[in-house]
Amino acid sequence: MAQRKGCLIGCGVALVLGVGALVALLFGVGKLVDVADKTLLDPKVYEAVRVGDAESEVRAKLPSGDSFAKSILKDGGPAEPAGSTCAWYLSTAEGTDNDVLRLCFKDGKLVDKAEYRLK
């Protein structure tokens, strides 16, 4: 009887650990999808917007850019224009896995565009 009880406890522990691992995996995949939805930008959209365009019109074409990856994307880029608010994105172009596209806004206008390689 004791051997059977030990086997049941072992199976229960294995089941709980398996379910925990599955939940962690799903959470991780969800975070990756979330980052992709918020930080990937088609270079055609980047090229289409021009310095001087209204911020509201430009932002309507962009993903939110709000993710934990923002601080990573900021590293290695040119200095931000004084007093501006910037958004950073990864390019979706093939072969450009590390290309960052930065757009900066000030006083309701797009004031700067920068493209650089993530370090």
Side-chain angles (χ1 to χ4, degrees), residues 51-55 59 80-86 103-112:
V51 171
D53 287 352
E55 179 176 1
R59 287 203 185 265
E80 300 169 36
S84 67
T85 303
C86 299
L103 300 166
C104 297
F105 304 93
K106 184 177 179 182
D107 299 328
K109 302 269 186 211
L110 177 63
V111 294
D112 184 58

Side-chain angles (χ1 to χ4, degrees), residues 90-91 95-100 116-119:
L90 281 172
S91 174
T96 60
D97 297 338
N98 294 324
D99 284 357
V100 177
Y116 58 94
R117 176 83 49 187
L118 184 64
K119 293 184 179 184

Side-chain angles (χ1 to χ4, degrees), residues 16-99:
V16 168
L17 290 175
V19 168
L22 181 62
V23 167
L25 177 67
L26 291 175
F27 179 76
V29 168
K31 280 294 183 188
L32 284 175
V33 169
D34 184 50
V35 167
D37 284 345
K38 293 179 179 179
T39 61
L40 294 178
L41 182 62
D42 186 335
K44 292 176 185 173
V45 173
Y46 177 80
E47 293 299 326
V49 297
R50 301 278 178 236
V51 171
D53 287 352
E55 179 176 1
S56 58
E57 291 175 14
V58 174
R59 287 203 185 265
K61 300 173 185 176
L62 304 173
S64 72
D66 294 328
S67 77
F68 68 87
K70 180 179 177 178
S71 62
I72 296 168
L73 298 177
K74 292 170 80 170
D75 289 343
E80 300 169 36
S84 67
T85 303
C86 299
W88 292 263
Y89 304 96
L90 281 172
S91 174
T92 60
E94 283 193 40
T96 60
D97 297 338
N98 294 324
D99 284 357

